Amino acid sequence: MTSPPGFQELAISTPPSDGPKRARMLDWDARVLYLGPAFGLTPHRNATGVLAVALDGAIGVANDPRARSPSYRQTRSVLIMPNSLHHLRIDAGRTAFLIVDPLGRDIEALRSRMKEVGSNAAFDLIDERSVVALFCDIAERRLASEHAQRAARDMLGIGSNPQPDARIAAAIKRMREEPGGSHTLAELSRKAGLSSSRFLHLFKDVTGVPLRRYRIWSRIGAAARAVAQGQSLTEAAHDAGFSSSAHFSTAFRDMFGMMPSELFARLRAD
């Protein structure tokens, strides 16, 4: 099932022995806010839009992620567009990753708040200092969850999407509520009353990503939430439609650039 309205605390890390850094993961419907160490990310694509904000330092964004020795642009905030190959280098400190549902409005709202907008990435939030301060307050628990939600919505313009095409919205709802279902193109297009080609075109028009990548992302999110809430990796992977925990781990790495074990090692059910 989809998450209830409002930021919901999914997990909180135990402080590592070498320092006081903590990690939080907050879930708001299809949006997720992670605050904490950035891990060693590899070049990858996300099926979603991701706003990365350095809370303590800077983010290096590879100019050409495919290059053997890429150069990196230093920034404090960057919006990575859906399905864009990228590599972020974050050497130290905490980072906020706001992962947004690719229904279009969130992406456009965030794009409008960046100083420099390109086809694959946008750089430097216009009100960057205020966003950094907000995310630091959330990371350090100076804001209650409902106040964090309201402040993020007001500052970033997310979470107020107009109704998308009802046929695509219904397909997305089914994928979220039944992540273990097959949700084939033939099945989804038939229920939408559309030809397969028209459904694929309209789905990508609405979400910004191909159907297959969105379906994988939806299943990954369902499995990750289940693990964060205490379910075993094997059970969560199977319930979300993966053939095995290894299949889930591979898909997770391909989508987010890290193994799920790296995330879950820092996060435990609250």
Side-chain angles (χ1 to χ4, degrees):
M1 295 179 63
T2 55
S3 307
F7 277 110
Q8 177 187 6
E9 185 89 13
L10 285 187
I12 175 175
S13 72
T14 48
S17 58
D18 59 349
K21 293 186 178 67
R22 298 167 68 88
R24 296 188 76 184
M25 190 163 68
L26 303 169
D27 185 35
W28 178 31
D29 196 14
R31 302 163 187 87
V32 173
L33 176 63
Y34 170 83
L35 306 113
F39 313 101
L41 297 172
T42 59
H44 64 285
R45 300 176 189 269
N46 291 333
T48 60
V50 180
L51 175 67
V53 181
L55 303 187
D56 303 312
I59 298 170
V61 184
N63 292 323
D64 181 4
R66 294 182 179 87
R68 177 170 295 182
S69 300
S71 58
Y72 288 83
R73 170 175 176 169
Q74 296 298 305
T75 186
R76 192 156 192 187
S77 56
V78 59
L79 173 65
I80 304 297
M81 304 306 173
N83 212 24
S84 298
L85 181 67
H86 64 283
H87 184 224
L88 304 181
R89 187 172 66 188
I90 305 167
D91 296 326
R94 301 165 301 167
T95 304
F97 292 101
L98 177 63
I99 304 169
V100 298
D101 186 277
L103 283 173
R105 182 62 180 268
D106 283 357
I107 298 292
E108 291 308 311
L110 291 171
R111 279 168 60 98
S112 71
R113 286 161 172 78
M114 308 302 289
K115 292 180 180 178
E116 180 183 334
V117 179
S119 57
N120 295 325
F123 295 88
D124 305 323
L125 282 158
I126 293 171
D127 197 10
E128 187 175 78
R129 186 172 297 181
S130 296
V131 175
V132 170
L134 171 62
F135 285 158
C136 284
D137 284 344
I138 298 173
E140 293 159 19
R141 292 172 171 74
R142 289 194 286 261
L143 282 179
S145 294
E146 61 272 17
H147 296 150
Q149 172 205 347
R150 190 177 306 114
R153 291 180 64 166
D154 291 346
M155 192 172 292
L156 298 172
I158 61 172
S160 55
N161 297 34
Q163 287 295 320
D165 184 284
R167 296 164 295 185
I168 301 303
I172 290 172
K173 184 174 185 290
R174 279 195 295 275
M175 284 189 279
R176 288 180 183 160
E177 292 182 347
E178 304 169 12
S182 59
H183 304 303
T184 63
L185 172 59
E187 174 193 350
L188 292 172
S189 57
R190 176 177 55 79
K191 288 182 177 178
L194 298 166
S195 68
S196 295
S197 60
R198 177 58 180 159
F199 181 88
L200 285 176
H201 177 80
L202 192 56
F203 189 92
K204 188 170 183 180
D205 225 29
V206 169
T207 66
V209 294
L211 170 63
R212 180 178 176 276
R213 288 193 63 79
Y214 186 90
R215 185 170 53 213
I216 293 171
W217 175 79
S218 180
R219 289 173 175 169
I220 287 172
R225 287 192 293 272
V227 172
Q229 293 168 347
Q231 198 171 13
S232 74
L233 185 61
T234 299
E235 288 179 316
H238 184 266
D239 289 349
F242 293 100
S243 59
S244 65
S245 58
H247 182 202
F248 164 62
S249 295
T250 299
F252 190 99
R253 182 181 177 87
D254 287 346
M255 192 70 72
F256 297 110
M258 70 178 82
M259 296 298 287
S261 56
E262 296 178 87
L263 176 64
F264 300 141
R266 294 186 182 272
L267 297 175
R268 62 171 174 80
D270 192 9

